[in-house]
Structure formats: structure tokens, C-alpha cells
Amino acid sequence: MPWVLRGLRDGVVTTSYPRRADPYADGFPGTVKPLGHDPILDGRTVEDLCPTGAIRTDGGMLRVDSGRCILCGRCVVQRPDLFGWTPGSETARLTRDALVVPELPDTDDAVEQLRAELAARTRMLRRSVHVRHVDAGSDGSEEWEVLALLNPVYDVHRLGIFFTASPRHADVLLVTGAGSHGMTEPLRRTLEATPRPVVVIAAGVDAASGGLVAPGYAVAGGIATLLDVDVWVPGAPPSPFSLLHALLLATGRIQR
Amino acid sequence: MSVSVLRWPGTEQVTALAEELDQRIAGGQRFAALLGRGNPATGTVLSALVAHDGGVTPLSAQLPAGVTHYPSLTPQLPAAFWYERLIHDLVGLVPDGHPRLDPLVLPHREGGELPHPGAAGRPARIEPDERALPVEVHGPGLFTIPHGPVRSGVFESVEYLVETPGEDIPHVRIRPHAKHRGLQKRFEGLDVDDGVLLAERVEGVASVAHALAFAHAVERRAPLPQAAGLVRALHAECERIANHLDVLGKLADAAGLAVAAARFGLHKERVLRLVGALCGSRFGRGVVVPGGVSGLPRLPADAVSNELDRLQRGIDGDVRALCDTPSFLDRVRTTGPLAPDLAAAHGALGPVGRGSGCADDARVTRPYDAYRWLAPPLVPVRRAGDAQARMQVRIAEIETSFHLAHHAVGDLADCDTDTLATELELSAGRSVGWAEAPQGEVVYLLEIGADGRICYCAPRSASLHNLVLFPATFVGDILTDFPFNEASFGLSIAGVVM
């Protein structure tokens, strides 16, 4: 009995997202964005600022690859004139290229095509989605953020999203980690055991590109070499709102 | 000694190392780690770390080129059991007389390519060779339940081989190698600013503690600005609170207390949001830099204090209710007993050690940063050694963490905050750094090369040191006790296999 009353103690703490905007989600420093064009920094290129090579200067155009950015903020601190934080948690994308800010040319068309193809594939599972998480070499923090989706603040059960113990019941594979060689085979067998249609989400920069962990003798440098990825989530680790955005995007319940 | 010199030529220094370890342990010091570096073809080094009041001392033994075997330390020093397996996996040295040299982080067969941390060269790709793993079950009616590496629920990948006649668990074998990421080798060649970022990713749920231990190794006890010490302590204590709440939530979940699990999940989310508001990262990443911290808390002192108060009130009530729920206590009491004499002999760390009578806490015995002048935290110690004792230790630690965090915030408001980091003079050489993570003491053995870059870095998490004790805690337990044992250990596999 005391637990029933304790459960009522703080009233409703659950977010209304995606029905309504959430101030925490909108204010979260989710990505780094280039602000200017100057690619020269005291004789060194700005690319050297980044420990994971996320900064590109193609043809004077400054770009940040969120799929590599570990959000350390070094570029923002050292060159606040060139880089700034972009608040917002709706950071998941349908192609690897779409993680680059500002957008690469032709990304939009590719995304539209993928969106249509994914929507056709996932039409059957829109209101009830079962997610199987697989750790393919994470640092452990990603699991905390995935588990947070089940706490009362995010409470994904209200959206018909459930975590399942068996890949046999799964519609979505949520994969974290850089793709350690030791997980290649377990990951392949998990995918094989999952019924079709299946949506694969690469959760976090480690899963997208290997992040700071790659290159190395023991990791693949992202899971895309191990299986086909449908949705990409940046962040190190991705915040729970970004993961929720990815799940909604994966099932066509949100458009961008 | 003469016998071992005859049988293992070139290993005189290992014998001397073993003797010195013996003496130091007999004198009350604690064996903290055994680490290896180099390539047997060109020469290797074994380094033992010994923890004592005031510091952690590295002791080394050199093995000349061509020496591949040495007399194992494990028969005299059981705590070296996993470390020698790790060294065999990464460096390729064979400890003769080791009771069971199964692969731990990188299964391989003799003659295969190895990473050789600290040696020149960088292998492009090494696949784990699972044929090197033994498959054996002994005893009438015994069978093995393989559990993992993809487990039921959101867990880190690890494989537990539960050997059972049906309900009892006479033995559990742990195979954590699936998520080995080769981080030791990855450190090599980085500068210290990138190195601290990688240290944060060795064990992501203890990012701050790992960054601190790494930074301490770089700083070699150079004096830091007072404000930097306080910001570090504030973040380290918030991290401890979040980790301990995670364990309480998992214990409640294992007992099927849905409301309790939800309540602790809510508290943990609030702690992570507070940390995010303080520094921009929910895990305190980017706060610790070698020489100090990257910035001050981004919230005013009274806002932090108020939020800490609100959190503590909410947590206190739920903790009291949890400790008053008989159906829950029945599940943790006497579950997963770790005998105090085994814990002491192994030098068990953190809440696992403190639940079994080992009082060592780096914040008190080897204080660093603000812990040098903040009132030392009371170290809660229990002797029962069961899951309940480990839980009680964590509950008491949450309270002291709030206390320390409050103090740090208060002192920060009164101290000079113009300088947050000191310029460090990096010089080549070897050093040790340590910090008390929520899981127990983290130690880094670091060597900086002449170019100012890392040429060797061996992190040793409390998770690695403690996990080897896990199979010893199933005496009298049955399969349904497993989640309580696991949650009460509160370890991270990422930090074990790196």
C-alpha cells in the first residue's frame, strides 16, 4: 500500500512529447553547428580541432559530421566564432549523410525516398512496436539512456513501444556500440532470429562511426559494416529524447 | 629463487617482484593490479600496483626479449588470477603454473597476432578466436545454461555460463570478451587532451572517475586551483549518487516492485538532468581536463543546493520505504554472500568490498582534489557480505555524497574562481593516478613519451578487479537470485574488458 501512495507523490512527471513540445528536449545541446566559413586557424586547419575528425572543410564550406561528433565542445570553446551548440533532441536521421550539418547536396531527395520505403515496410507495426536492444561494444552509458526510456519521465509504454527479451518478438533492433569483433556473430544471429520487417537503429556516434573508440584492432568503426542501418542517432551517448525520436521516426509516427 | 631461475631463465625480476609483493601485502598493503606491456619478441614489463595510505606504488619486473614464459604469481596471490589471463590475452606472456589460463578479453590461439600494448606497431584487426574457449561441464546431472552475450533486457553484452543441476548454482563462468574494444592500444599516440576524452569512455557510467584517475596520472599531484578541486568533487559525487540510484532501481526491479523501480528511475533521471544543467553533458563528460576543469557549474550555487535538497528529500523517503518492504528484504538478505576473508584477501573494492568488511576508500586513504580539505566522508562498512549489506553501504554513501556535494557547492561560492586550470609541464615518464568511482577505486598506469604523447596507458577499473569475485557469491543461491547478485555488484562490463 505505501508504494501505491508513493507512486502518486510527484503527480504526473511524464513528458507530453511527441504530442506537445518538451522544454527539456528542445533545450538539450544535441548537436554542434558551424557558424562561419573561415577554414584557416593560425596555420592549422580547423579540422585538427576535432578529436574524431568530425569537422570538414570542403571548398571553404565548413561542415560538422554529427555521426562522428562526440559533443566534447572543444571546437565551440576554441572557436566560438565558427562553431555553436544547436539545441534540440530531434536529431535522428534516415541516412548517414543526413547527419552532416549543414546538409550535403542531394540529401533531401535520398531521405524522401527512404522515408517512403521505410513507411511501406513498417505500416503494420505503427501502434505497437517491440524493441530488442543489442550492445555491440558500447561504453555502458548508452544502456543507461536506453533504460531511461522506461522511467516515468519518458514512459514509452504510453506510445505502444515495448522492450522485448527475445528477437523473435522484435520489430526494431536498437544497436549501441562501435561494433566489436566479438559481437559480430551474436549481432548477426540476433538479426537472423528477428522476423521481417525489421528496422535497425544505430544508437550513438559509436554505432554510427566508431566515435573515439575507432580505429582499433577490436572494433569495426560503426555497425553499418555489420548490418543495414535504417535510422542513425547521433550523440555520445544519445539523449533519451533523441532515442525516442529515432523510434518514432523508424515507425513513421513522426515525419522528421 | 634458484629453482625458478633454472626453470625460467631471464625471470629473476619476476621472482623479486613476487617477493616484494609478498612482503608488502604481509605489511598491510593491498594488491591493486598486475598489468603487462610490450611484446615478448622485443621485451616485456610486468607492473604490479600496490595501494597503501597516501598513494599507489607501481613495482615492475622486466623480461628480456625472447622470454615468453614466467612463473605465475596466482598460486601465491589468487587476486592476480584474472590479471594474468588479461596479460596472456594482450601481451602473449604465459604464466606457468596458472590454475586456469582461459581467455578473458581476447580469445586467441598460440602464434596468433596480439595487440601488445606499449610496444611499437599497431595491428589493424584482430578477430577473437572462439575455438580457444574451453567447453566443459563436470558432474552428474550438471548442465550449463549459457546466458548472453545478448541477454534478456537492456544489458551490456556479457556471457554468463551458469553451471547448474537445475536450481542451485554451483558455479558461474564469466565470458566478457564479446565487447572488448582494444582501448589500451587506442590510447597510444593520443595527446593527453584527447586521452582524457577516451578515458571517459572506458567505463561510460563512471566517466568522471575515469577522467579524474587519468588526469591525476598526468598531473602527478601538481597543485590545482581550489575551484577546480571543488568542481571535480561535485561532479564525482553526483556520479556516485546516480550510479547508486541505478543499483537501487535494478534491485527493486528484480523484486518486481514496479513503483519502487519507477521512483528510483525518476530520481536518477533528475540527477542526470542536474549534471546536464551543470556542464552540458548528462554524464559529466568534458568537465575534467588535465590540470583542472573546463568550466564552472552553469547554475548558481543556491539553485544547485535547492535541487540537491529536493533530490535528497525524495530519495530519503523512498529508501526508507524500500528498507521497510519485507517482500523486498527477503530477496536481498543472505543473497550473494561474499565472505569477508575472501574479500580481504582479494582486496575487494568499492561497495562490494565495503559490504564485506574492506573499508578502503581512496577519497579517505589517498585523498585527491577537494577531498584533501573537505571533511573526509564517513566510510560505511558492513560485514554481512550479502546483497543487503552492499545495498546498505550504497544507501549510506548516497547520504555522504549529498553532504560532500553541498559542501563543494558552498565552498565554491566563497573561493577564487578566476583560474580553473593550471598549465602543466608534461615530461616523459611513468605515473599512476587513482580516483574513487561509484564501483570502487579506478587506477591508471600511464606513460608519456618524449614527444608528450601517450605511449602506454592501462586503465584498471573496479569492475575488472571485482567481477572475478562474482562466481564466488552463489553459495546457497538459486537461479532466481541471479539478478539480485548481479545488480548488487553494480559493475559495468565496458570497464571490465575495455
Side-chain angles (χ1 to χ4, degrees):
Chain A
M1 196 48 149
W3 281 114
V4 176
L5 298 175
R6 294 208 149 261
L8 302 173
R9 185 157 286 220
D10 287 62
V12 177
V13 294
T14 310
T15 175
S16 307
Y17 180 84
R19 200 157 37 83
R20 275 197 290 277
D22 185 284
Y24 183 77
D26 292 343
F28 192 80
T31 34
V32 171
K33 191 171 77 171
L35 307 170
H37 290 274
D38 177 13
I40 303 298
L41 171 72
D42 307 331
R44 272 168 55 205
T45 63
V46 271
E47 290 178 0
D48 293 342
L49 274 178
C50 182
T52 55
I55 299 173
R56 304 184 197 167
T57 52
D58 7 273
M61 182 78 181
L62 214 47
R63 288 197 164 90
V64 174
D65 180 359
S66 303
R68 298 202 72 90
C69 173
I70 56 168
L71 303 174
C72 67
R74 188 183 293 168
C75 56
V76 182
V77 171
Q78 296 199 8
R79 288 304 296 266
D81 55 325
L82 291 183
F83 301 95
W85 292 100
T86 311
S89 300
E90 297 197 323
T91 52
R93 296 290 179 267
L94 295 179
T95 67
R96 176 71 181 79
D97 282 349
L99 291 177
V100 180
V101 248
E103 220 164 63
L104 294 163
D106 307 326
T107 309
D108 247 8
D109 299 344
V111 169
E112 275 321 309
Q113 206 179 340
L114 279 169
R115 194 190 312 283
E117 188 265 327
L118 192 62
R121 214 169 0 130
T122 58
R123 193 162 295 131
M124 301 295 286
L125 35 111
R126 278 196 184 164
R127 293 290 147 196
S128 168
V129 183
H130 287 249
V131 181
R132 173 65 246 191
H133 157 263
V134 183
D135 162 19
S138 75
D139 64 33
S141 61
E142 285 93 341
E143 280 63 35
W144 270 26
E145 299 298 51
V146 173
L147 272 177
L149 293 174
L150 297 172
N151 78 30
V153 178
Y154 302 96
D155 184 25
V156 292
H157 291 174
R158 77 200 150 93
L159 300 166
I161 299 171
F162 304 93
F163 283 86
T164 170
S166 168
R168 285 276 187 255
H169 300 158
D171 308 305
V172 173
L173 286 187
L174 183 64
V175 187
T176 56
S180 58
H181 296 328
M183 279 307 293
T184 304
E185 189 56 20
L187 185 60
R188 189 192 66 74
R189 287 173 60 188
T190 306
L191 178 67
E192 198 177 86
T194 312
R196 302 298 184 269
V198 59
V199 182
V200 177
I201 301 178
V205 282
D206 283 6
S209 69
L212 197 60
V213 174
Y217 65 85
V219 292
I223 59 159
T225 52
L226 310 177
L227 71 184
D228 293 332
V229 175
D230 298 295
V231 181
W232 306 78
V233 199
S239 74
F241 271 117
S242 286
L243 292 168
L244 181 51
H245 178 238
L247 288 167
L248 296 172
L249 197 65
T251 48
R253 286 159 66 172
I254 203 168
Q255 286 311 304
R256 353 187 15 105
Chain B
M1 182 161 167
S2 58
V3 176
S4 73
V5 172
L6 287 177
R7 284 188 58 192
W8 292 279
T11 62
E12 298 80 4
Q13 293 195 11
V14 178
T15 315
L17 173 71
E19 281 170 8
E20 178 156 9
L21 274 174
D22 254 2
Q23 282 170 14
R24 282 179 178 254
I25 292 166
Q29 303 194 4
R30 175 169 60 77
F31 169 77
L34 183 70
L35 306 161
R37 68 171 289 183
N39 185 336
T42 52
T44 49
V45 184
L46 289 178
S47 298
L49 300 181
V50 188
H52 47 83
D53 282 2
V56 177
T57 305
L59 308 169
S60 286
Q62 307 233 358
L63 294 166
V67 172
T68 52
H69 290 244
Y70 70 94
S72 170
L73 305 185
T74 304
Q76 275 75 47
L77 183 64
F81 182 50
W82 269 27
Y83 291 105
E84 292 199 311
R85 290 169 63 183
L86 193 73
I87 291 167
H88 176 243
D89 281 353
L90 298 179
V91 178
L93 283 172
V94 180
D96 285 334
H98 189 281
R100 203 174 65 203
L101 200 59
D102 292 351
L104 185 67
V105 298
L106 188 61
H108 70 274
R109 298 207 284 188
E110 295 311 322
E113 191 185 24
L114 291 182
H116 302 303
R122 200 180 284 269
R125 184 184 175 96
I126 302 176
E127 300 265 2
D129 186 344
E130 302 215 341
R131 290 171 298 180
L133 296 170
V135 180
E136 47 182 329
V137 184
H138 298 294
L142 272 183
F143 56 93
T144 300
I145 304 176
H147 188 49
V150 180
R151 303 171 59 202
S152 53
V154 180
F155 288 104
E156 289 189 62
S157 292
V158 59
E159 186 175 6
Y160 294 113
L161 296 174
V162 182
E163 291 169 10
T164 174
E167 202 53 271
D168 294 334
I169 307 178
H171 191 62
V172 174
R173 270 184 292 152
I174 306 170
R175 286 183 179 171
H177 67 268
K179 60 181 295 183
H180 175 57
R181 292 173 290 159
L183 293 185
Q184 274 200 38
K185 206 70 194 166
R186 178 69 183 118
F187 271 106
E188 292 169 19
L190 297 182
D191 61 27
V192 294
D193 294 325
D194 287 354
V196 74
L197 295 176
L198 189 59
E200 289 175 338
R201 284 153 180 84
V202 171
E203 190 171 22
V205 298
S207 292
V208 177
H210 276 261
L212 282 178
F214 177 87
H216 292 152
V218 175
E219 290 154 6
R220 299 178 191 172
R221 313 198 113 183
L224 301 187
Q226 191 188 9
L230 291 166
V231 174
R232 286 178 169 192
L234 171 62
H235 276 283
E237 295 310 322
C238 288
E239 181 173 88
R240 195 176 324 279
I241 295 168
N243 271 275
H244 289 355
L245 288 173
D246 182 67
V247 170
L248 292 178
K250 282 183 174 143
L251 287 171
D253 194 41
L257 292 179
V259 180
R263 292 287 297 171
F264 288 111
L266 172 64
H267 296 314
K268 180 181 155 199
E269 175 69 20
R270 285 178 171 162
V271 175
L272 294 185
R273 286 189 175 197
L274 172 63
V275 173
L278 290 176
C279 70
S281 156
R282 285 161 57 93
F283 291 83
R285 290 185 178 172
V287 171
V288 179
V289 295
V293 291
S294 61
L296 286 171
R298 297 179 194 172
L299 288 179
D302 54 342
V304 184
S305 294
N306 290 343
E307 180 61 13
L308 287 171
D309 275 337
R310 182 174 81 116
L311 274 165
Q312 192 173 9
R313 273 197 309 276
I315 293 168
D316 273 354
D318 286 331
V319 162
R320 255 182 285 125
L322 190 67
C323 294
D324 214 20
T325 305
S327 64
F328 173 74
L329 295 178
D330 284 347
R331 300 305 309 272
V332 290
R333 206 179 282 140
T334 71
T335 303
L338 174 64
D341 52 347
L342 175 62
H346 185 74
L349 302 168
V352 174
R354 292 193 274 274
S356 297
C358 303
D360 191 82
D361 184 324
R363 293 174 296 169
V364 179
T365 47
R366 293 170 288 286
Y368 48 87
D369 299 336
Y371 302 113
R372 286 185 197 169
W373 67 86
L374 287 175
L378 291 173
V379 181
V381 180
R382 299 286 184 279
R383 292 196 59 83
D386 55 1
Q388 187 183 24
R390 293 189 278 277
M391 180 185 78
Q392 287 167 339
V393 166
R394 288 196 172 88
I395 288 171
E397 286 190 15
I398 289 176
E399 198 180 321
T400 53
S401 288
F402 272 115
H403 191 69
L404 285 166
H406 268 300
H407 266 271
V409 174
D411 286 6
L412 201 54
D414 300 331
C415 81
D416 168 30
T417 53
D418 292 340
T419 341
L420 294 173
T422 41
E423 280 293 321
L424 293 174
E425 293 280 330
L426 278 185
S427 56
R430 188 177 69 167
S431 54
V432 184
W434 59 87
E436 186 74 18
Q439 291 79 8
E441 185 181 44
V442 176
V443 191
Y444 272 63
L445 180 63
L446 177 74
E447 189 164 332
I448 306 278
D451 57 355
R453 291 180 174 269
I454 298 165
C455 59
Y456 175 72
C457 178
R460 199 283 273 129
S461 71
S463 298
L464 169 66
H465 193 80
N466 279 349
L467 187 59
V468 64
L469 293 172
F470 187 56
T473 63
F474 285 93
V475 183
D477 289 347
I478 57 172
L479 287 174
T480 46
D481 291 326
F482 195 96
F484 293 94
N485 277 18
E486 194 189 12
S488 72
F489 261 64
L491 309 178
S492 164
I493 303 302
V496 174
V497 290
M498 300 177 292

PDB file of all heavy atoms in Angstrom, chain B residues 224-233 293 295-297 370 373 411-412 415-420:
ATOM      1  N   LEU B 224      46.515  22.140  -7.879  1.00  0.00           N
ATOM      2  CA  LEU B 224      45.482  22.659  -8.770  1.00  0.00           C
ATOM      3  C   LEU B 224      44.797  23.847  -8.107  1.00  0.00           C
ATOM      4  O   LEU B 224      44.833  23.981  -6.890  1.00  0.00           O
ATOM      5  CB  LEU B 224      44.412  21.592  -9.031  1.00  0.00           C
ATOM      6  CG  LEU B 224      44.827  20.274  -9.653  1.00  0.00           C
ATOM      7  CD1 LEU B 224      43.586  19.468  -9.979  1.00  0.00           C
ATOM      8  CD2 LEU B 224      45.654  20.494 -10.896  1.00  0.00           C
ATOM      9  N   PRO B 225      44.136  24.691  -8.905  1.00  0.00           N
ATOM     10  CA  PRO B 225      43.322  25.754  -8.287  1.00  0.00           C
ATOM     11  C   PRO B 225      42.246  25.122  -7.405  1.00  0.00           C
ATOM     12  O   PRO B 225      41.697  24.073  -7.740  1.00  0.00           O
ATOM     13  CB  PRO B 225      42.683  26.454  -9.493  1.00  0.00           C
ATOM     14  CG  PRO B 225      43.480  26.046 -10.682  1.00  0.00           C
ATOM     15  CD  PRO B 225      44.097  24.726 -10.365  1.00  0.00           C
ATOM     16  N   GLN B 226      41.940  25.799  -6.291  1.00  0.00           N
ATOM     17  CA  GLN B 226      40.971  25.259  -5.347  1.00  0.00           C
ATOM     18  C   GLN B 226      39.623  25.018  -6.020  1.00  0.00           C
ATOM     19  O   GLN B 226      38.970  23.994  -5.795  1.00  0.00           O
ATOM     20  CB  GLN B 226      40.817  26.245  -4.178  1.00  0.00           C
ATOM     21  CG  GLN B 226      40.048  25.658  -3.021  1.00  0.00           C
ATOM     22  CD  GLN B 226      39.735  26.696  -1.948  1.00  0.00           C
ATOM     23  OE1 GLN B 226      39.948  27.893  -2.142  1.00  0.00           O
ATOM     24  NE2 GLN B 226      39.236  26.232  -0.826  1.00  0.00           N
ATOM     25  N   ALA B 227      39.217  25.960  -6.869  1.00  0.00           N
ATOM     26  CA  ALA B 227      37.903  25.835  -7.512  1.00  0.00           C
ATOM     27  C   ALA B 227      37.823  24.565  -8.364  1.00  0.00           C
ATOM     28  O   ALA B 227      36.792  23.887  -8.408  1.00  0.00           O
ATOM     29  CB  ALA B 227      37.622  27.067  -8.368  1.00  0.00           C
ATOM     30  N   ALA B 228      38.946  24.230  -9.037  1.00  0.00           N
ATOM     31  CA  ALA B 228      38.937  23.032  -9.888  1.00  0.00           C
ATOM     32  C   ALA B 228      38.689  21.786  -9.047  1.00  0.00           C
ATOM     33  O   ALA B 228      37.896  20.917  -9.422  1.00  0.00           O
ATOM     34  CB  ALA B 228      40.263  22.918 -10.636  1.00  0.00           C
ATOM     35  N   GLY B 229      39.345  21.724  -7.881  1.00  0.00           N
ATOM     36  CA  GLY B 229      39.156  20.584  -6.991  1.00  0.00           C
ATOM     37  C   GLY B 229      37.712  20.447  -6.547  1.00  0.00           C
ATOM     38  O   GLY B 229      37.168  19.347  -6.450  1.00  0.00           O
ATOM     39  N   LEU B 230      37.061  21.576  -6.307  1.00  0.00           N
ATOM     40  CA  LEU B 230      35.682  21.551  -5.836  1.00  0.00           C
ATOM     41  C   LEU B 230      34.715  21.125  -6.949  1.00  0.00           C
ATOM     42  O   LEU B 230      33.799  20.332  -6.725  1.00  0.00           O
ATOM     43  CB  LEU B 230      35.291  22.929  -5.295  1.00  0.00           C
ATOM     44  CG  LEU B 230      35.992  23.324  -3.984  1.00  0.00           C
ATOM     45  CD1 LEU B 230      35.819  24.810  -3.690  1.00  0.00           C
ATOM     46  CD2 LEU B 230      35.457  22.491  -2.823  1.00  0.00           C
ATOM     47  N   VAL B 231      34.932  21.654  -8.152  1.00  0.00           N
ATOM     48  CA  VAL B 231      34.057  21.272  -9.274  1.00  0.00           C
ATOM     49  C   VAL B 231      34.200  19.774  -9.540  1.00  0.00           C
ATOM     50  O   VAL B 231      33.218  19.066  -9.776  1.00  0.00           O
ATOM     51  CB  VAL B 231      34.405  22.087 -10.537  1.00  0.00           C
ATOM     52  CG1 VAL B 231      33.596  21.584 -11.724  1.00  0.00           C
ATOM     53  CG2 VAL B 231      34.132  23.568 -10.322  1.00  0.00           C
ATOM     54  N   ARG B 232      35.430  19.285  -9.469  1.00  0.00           N
ATOM     55  CA  ARG B 232      35.664  17.851  -9.680  1.00  0.00           C
ATOM     56  C   ARG B 232      34.909  17.022  -8.640  1.00  0.00           C
ATOM     57  O   ARG B 232      34.259  16.034  -8.970  1.00  0.00           O
ATOM     58  CB  ARG B 232      37.162  17.545  -9.587  1.00  0.00           C
ATOM     59  CG  ARG B 232      37.946  18.007 -10.803  1.00  0.00           C
ATOM     60  CD  ARG B 232      39.425  17.711 -10.635  1.00  0.00           C
ATOM     61  NE  ARG B 232      40.139  17.913 -11.896  1.00  0.00           N
ATOM     62  CZ  ARG B 232      41.392  17.510 -12.100  1.00  0.00           C
ATOM     63  NH1 ARG B 232      42.054  16.892 -11.129  1.00  0.00           N
ATOM     64  NH2 ARG B 232      41.965  17.717 -13.260  1.00  0.00           N
ATOM     65  N   ALA B 233      35.005  17.432  -7.381  1.00  0.00           N
ATOM     66  CA  ALA B 233      34.339  16.670  -6.324  1.00  0.00           C
ATOM     67  C   ALA B 233      32.824  16.707  -6.503  1.00  0.00           C
ATOM     68  O   ALA B 233      32.141  15.694  -6.340  1.00  0.00           O
ATOM     69  CB  ALA B 233      34.728  17.224  -4.954  1.00  0.00           C
ATOM     70  N   VAL B 293      39.659  21.962 -14.509  1.00  0.00           N
ATOM     71  CA  VAL B 293      38.350  21.681 -15.093  1.00  0.00           C
ATOM     72  C   VAL B 293      38.091  22.664 -16.229  1.00  0.00           C
ATOM     73  O   VAL B 293      38.745  23.698 -16.336  1.00  0.00           O
ATOM     74  CB  VAL B 293      37.218  21.803 -14.044  1.00  0.00           C
ATOM     75  CG1 VAL B 293      37.304  20.690 -13.016  1.00  0.00           C
ATOM     76  CG2 VAL B 293      37.227  23.156 -13.368  1.00  0.00           C
ATOM     77  N   GLY B 295      35.229  24.299 -16.843  1.00  0.00           N
ATOM     78  CA  GLY B 295      34.369  25.439 -16.545  1.00  0.00           C
ATOM     79  C   GLY B 295      33.708  25.298 -15.198  1.00  0.00           C
ATOM     80  O   GLY B 295      33.784  24.257 -14.547  1.00  0.00           O
ATOM     81  N   LEU B 296      33.064  26.386 -14.775  1.00  0.00           N
ATOM     82  CA  LEU B 296      32.333  26.369 -13.518  1.00  0.00           C
ATOM     83  C   LEU B 296      30.946  25.783 -13.769  1.00  0.00           C
ATOM     84  O   LEU B 296      30.475  25.749 -14.905  1.00  0.00           O
ATOM     85  CB  LEU B 296      32.185  27.796 -12.995  1.00  0.00           C
ATOM     86  CG  LEU B 296      33.431  28.432 -12.400  1.00  0.00           C
ATOM     87  CD1 LEU B 296      33.166  29.918 -12.130  1.00  0.00           C
ATOM     88  CD2 LEU B 296      33.839  27.718 -11.118  1.00  0.00           C
ATOM     89  N   PRO B 297      30.259  25.329 -12.696  1.00  0.00           N
ATOM     90  CA  PRO B 297      28.872  24.895 -12.872  1.00  0.00           C
ATOM     91  C   PRO B 297      28.055  26.021 -13.504  1.00  0.00           C
ATOM     92  O   PRO B 297      28.233  27.190 -13.169  1.00  0.00           O
ATOM     93  CB  PRO B 297      28.417  24.615 -11.437  1.00  0.00           C
ATOM     94  CG  PRO B 297      29.653  24.329 -10.684  1.00  0.00           C
ATOM     95  CD  PRO B 297      30.724  25.153 -11.324  1.00  0.00           C
ATOM     96  N   ALA B 370      39.549  18.088  -4.004  1.00  0.00           N
ATOM     97  CA  ALA B 370      38.933  18.744  -2.833  1.00  0.00           C
ATOM     98  C   ALA B 370      38.835  17.816  -1.632  1.00  0.00           C
ATOM     99  O   ALA B 370      38.629  18.290  -0.518  1.00  0.00           O
ATOM    100  CB  ALA B 370      37.547  19.265  -3.208  1.00  0.00           C
ATOM    101  N   TRP B 373      40.833  18.611   1.555  1.00  0.00           N
ATOM    102  CA  TRP B 373      40.475  19.560   2.621  1.00  0.00           C
ATOM    103  C   TRP B 373      39.006  19.502   3.029  1.00  0.00           C
ATOM    104  O   TRP B 373      38.658  19.961   4.106  1.00  0.00           O
ATOM    105  CB  TRP B 373      40.881  20.985   2.227  1.00  0.00           C
ATOM    106  CG  TRP B 373      40.135  21.566   1.074  1.00  0.00           C
ATOM    107  CD1 TRP B 373      38.933  22.214   1.146  1.00  0.00           C
ATOM    108  CD2 TRP B 373      40.519  21.585  -0.292  1.00  0.00           C
ATOM    109  NE1 TRP B 373      38.549  22.620  -0.104  1.00  0.00           N
ATOM    110  CE2 TRP B 373      39.505  22.252  -1.013  1.00  0.00           C
ATOM    111  CE3 TRP B 373      41.627  21.101  -0.998  1.00  0.00           C
ATOM    112  CZ2 TRP B 373      39.556  22.438  -2.387  1.00  0.00           C
ATOM    113  CZ3 TRP B 373      41.668  21.297  -2.367  1.00  0.00           C
ATOM    114  CH2 TRP B 373      40.647  21.956  -3.047  1.00  0.00           C
ATOM    115  N   ASP B 411      31.549  25.900  -0.752  1.00  0.00           N
ATOM    116  CA  ASP B 411      32.930  26.413  -0.798  1.00  0.00           C
ATOM    117  C   ASP B 411      33.227  27.100  -2.122  1.00  0.00           C
ATOM    118  O   ASP B 411      33.978  28.060  -2.189  1.00  0.00           O
ATOM    119  CB  ASP B 411      33.924  25.260  -0.596  1.00  0.00           C
ATOM    120  CG  ASP B 411      33.960  24.794   0.848  1.00  0.00           C
ATOM    121  OD1 ASP B 411      33.133  25.299   1.630  1.00  0.00           O
ATOM    122  OD2 ASP B 411      34.785  23.926   1.174  1.00  0.00           O
ATOM    123  N   LEU B 412      32.604  26.594  -3.163  1.00  0.00           N
ATOM    124  CA  LEU B 412      32.845  27.147  -4.494  1.00  0.00           C
ATOM    125  C   LEU B 412      32.366  28.590  -4.572  1.00  0.00           C
ATOM    126  O   LEU B 412      32.970  29.427  -5.239  1.00  0.00           O
ATOM    127  CB  LEU B 412      32.119  26.279  -5.531  1.00  0.00           C
ATOM    128  CG  LEU B 412      32.582  26.341  -6.973  1.00  0.00           C
ATOM    129  CD1 LEU B 412      34.066  26.053  -7.075  1.00  0.00           C
ATOM    130  CD2 LEU B 412      31.804  25.323  -7.790  1.00  0.00           C
ATOM    131  N   CYS B 415      35.196  30.774  -2.991  1.00  0.00           N
ATOM    132  CA  CYS B 415      36.622  30.746  -3.360  1.00  0.00           C
ATOM    133  C   CYS B 415      36.870  31.473  -4.675  1.00  0.00           C
ATOM    134  O   CYS B 415      35.941  31.828  -5.402  1.00  0.00           O
ATOM    135  CB  CYS B 415      37.144  29.311  -3.391  1.00  0.00           C
ATOM    136  SG  CYS B 415      36.759  28.431  -4.887  1.00  0.00           S
ATOM    137  N   ASP B 416      38.143  31.674  -4.932  1.00  0.00           N
ATOM    138  CA  ASP B 416      38.554  32.400  -6.132  1.00  0.00           C
ATOM    139  C   ASP B 416      38.325  31.511  -7.354  1.00  0.00           C
ATOM    140  O   ASP B 416      38.816  30.397  -7.413  1.00  0.00           O
ATOM    141  CB  ASP B 416      40.045  32.748  -5.976  1.00  0.00           C
ATOM    142  CG  ASP B 416      40.642  33.232  -7.286  1.00  0.00           C
ATOM    143  OD1 ASP B 416      39.890  33.815  -8.089  1.00  0.00           O
ATOM    144  OD2 ASP B 416      41.852  33.024  -7.482  1.00  0.00           O
ATOM    145  N   THR B 417      37.538  32.005  -8.310  1.00  0.00           N
ATOM    146  CA  THR B 417      37.198  31.168  -9.453  1.00  0.00           C
ATOM    147  C   THR B 417      37.752  31.732 -10.762  1.00  0.00           C
ATOM    148  O   THR B 417      37.268  31.420 -11.839  1.00  0.00           O
ATOM    149  CB  THR B 417      35.662  31.008  -9.585  1.00  0.00           C
ATOM    150  OG1 THR B 417      35.071  32.313  -9.599  1.00  0.00           O
ATOM    151  CG2 THR B 417      35.096  30.213  -8.443  1.00  0.00           C
ATOM    152  N   ASP B 418      38.767  32.594 -10.666  1.00  0.00           N
ATOM    153  CA  ASP B 418      39.333  33.163 -11.895  1.00  0.00           C
ATOM    154  C   ASP B 418      40.129  32.119 -12.670  1.00  0.00           C
ATOM    155  O   ASP B 418      40.068  32.066 -13.885  1.00  0.00           O
ATOM    156  CB  ASP B 418      40.243  34.353 -11.551  1.00  0.00           C
ATOM    157  CG  ASP B 418      39.414  35.515 -11.014  1.00  0.00           C
ATOM    158  OD1 ASP B 418      38.194  35.511 -11.281  1.00  0.00           O
ATOM    159  OD2 ASP B 418      39.976  36.383 -10.329  1.00  0.00           O
ATOM    160  N   THR B 419      40.886  31.300 -11.949  1.00  0.00           N
ATOM    161  CA  THR B 419      41.676  30.270 -12.624  1.00  0.00           C
ATOM    162  C   THR B 419      41.042  28.916 -12.354  1.00  0.00           C
ATOM    163  O   THR B 419      40.774  28.582 -11.210  1.00  0.00           O
ATOM    164  CB  THR B 419      43.122  30.218 -12.079  1.00  0.00           C
ATOM    165  OG1 THR B 419      43.390  31.429 -11.412  1.00  0.00           O
ATOM    166  CG2 THR B 419      44.113  29.936 -13.169  1.00  0.00           C
ATOM    167  N   LEU B 420      40.803  28.162 -13.414  1.00  0.00           N
ATOM    168  CA  LEU B 420      40.188  26.849 -13.263  1.00  0.00           C
ATOM    169  C   LEU B 420      41.126  25.726 -13.673  1.00  0.00           C
ATOM    170  O   LEU B 420      40.823  24.556 -13.491  1.00  0.00           O
ATOM    171  CB  LEU B 420      38.900  26.768 -14.083  1.00  0.00           C
ATOM    172  CG  LEU B 420      37.779  27.686 -13.591  1.00  0.00           C
ATOM    173  CD1 LEU B 420      36.615  27.661 -14.547  1.00  0.00           C
ATOM    174  CD2 LEU B 420      37.331  27.266 -12.199  1.00  0.00           C
TER     175      LEU B 420
END
